[in-house]
Amino acid sequence: MTIPLLTLNNGVELPAIGLGVFQTPPDETTDAVVAALQTGYRHIDTAAAYGNEREVGEGIRRSGVPRDEIFVETKVWINDFGYDATLHAFDKSAGKLGVETIDLLILHQALPSHFDLTIAAYQALEKLLADGRVRSIGVSNFMPEHLAALREQTSVVPAVNQIELHPYFQQKELQRVDAELGILTQAWSPIGGITFYRDSEKSALEDPTILGIAEAHGKSAAQVMLRWGIQEGRSVIPKSTKPERIAENFEVFDFELTADEVAAIDALDTGQRGGPEPEAVTLETFSREIPEA
């Protein structure tokens, strides 16, 4: 099956669906990556702060899929912000992944309390891009004001902004700003995982509207949510460690939601964030040293 590709603002192509490995234990990560790549995925999303980059690299090698067919994305954690520190963060991530080039390297948070470090970190990404060590650069969890401040002090428009985005939290204004700037919106927690693994009383997987649409198409609620994200032009990176679920999440290209169904899911937005507020992410509260490769 041919996976639809999304063209980033620098011409690099990104598969519309990828495997996310947030909170995937290292001892389960390699098998999950192998299962995904053998299923047909060609995009793997990880992060230095996840503690499983090494295992992602092992999964890529063990899969038998050529490296140049796989889009590898990872993130720089806030402890490694700053120009020289971020250049070294690339070395740490590339070393653990076992790759010479990273397809997409992004800043994991905006770090509003030390935005000077954020700017310096992004300038390091620009250097890595100019040197050909990364193919594209971007950001994660940046709000409109963070994007505006970044644009004032840097020259390369981020290719991607990876944000929490699912039917219950859609960040429509931020999506609009991304689109205006030519930034691809990439959805983390695209099936609303954040709504049920953090003891929320409301799970998108059990939403009556989504379940009704799923029944109409003979699909699961997760497949409907992924299809919704893809049809609206986003990159989606569902996370799972179960081979059968990884395969199910990939089977979203053989049906299409109607305009009314898309509108019904659009109407489910509650405006309630599941993850931390971007302003709450500080070095004091979220410090995590990233080990050497």
Side-chain angles (χ1 to χ4, degrees), residues 189-200:
S189 194
I191 60 174
I194 195 80
T195 68
F196 48 84
Y197 64 65
R198 292 220 171 151
D199 301 321
S200 170

Side-chain angles (χ1 to χ4, degrees), residues 222-236:
Q223 288 170 321
V224 165
M225 286 185 271
L226 293 171
R227 182 68 208 177
W228 167 72
I230 289 168
Q231 277 189 219
E232 294 200 330
R234 294 186 289 274
S235 163
V236 295

Side-chain angles (χ1 to χ4, degrees), residues 6 23 29 33 52 58 72 91 128-129 155 158 173 197 222 235:
L6 301 168
Q23 290 194 331
T29 298
V33 170
N52 55 20
E58 179 60 26
V72 178
D91 293 331
L128 292 165
L129 180 66
S155 58
E173 174 61 18
Y197 64 65
S235 163

Side-chain angles (χ1 to χ4, degrees), residues 203-222:
S203 167
L205 288 173
E206 298 170 358
D207 186 275
T209 296
I210 295 171
L211 287 173
I213 295 169
E215 184 176 2
H217 290 277
K219 291 288 184 177
S220 69

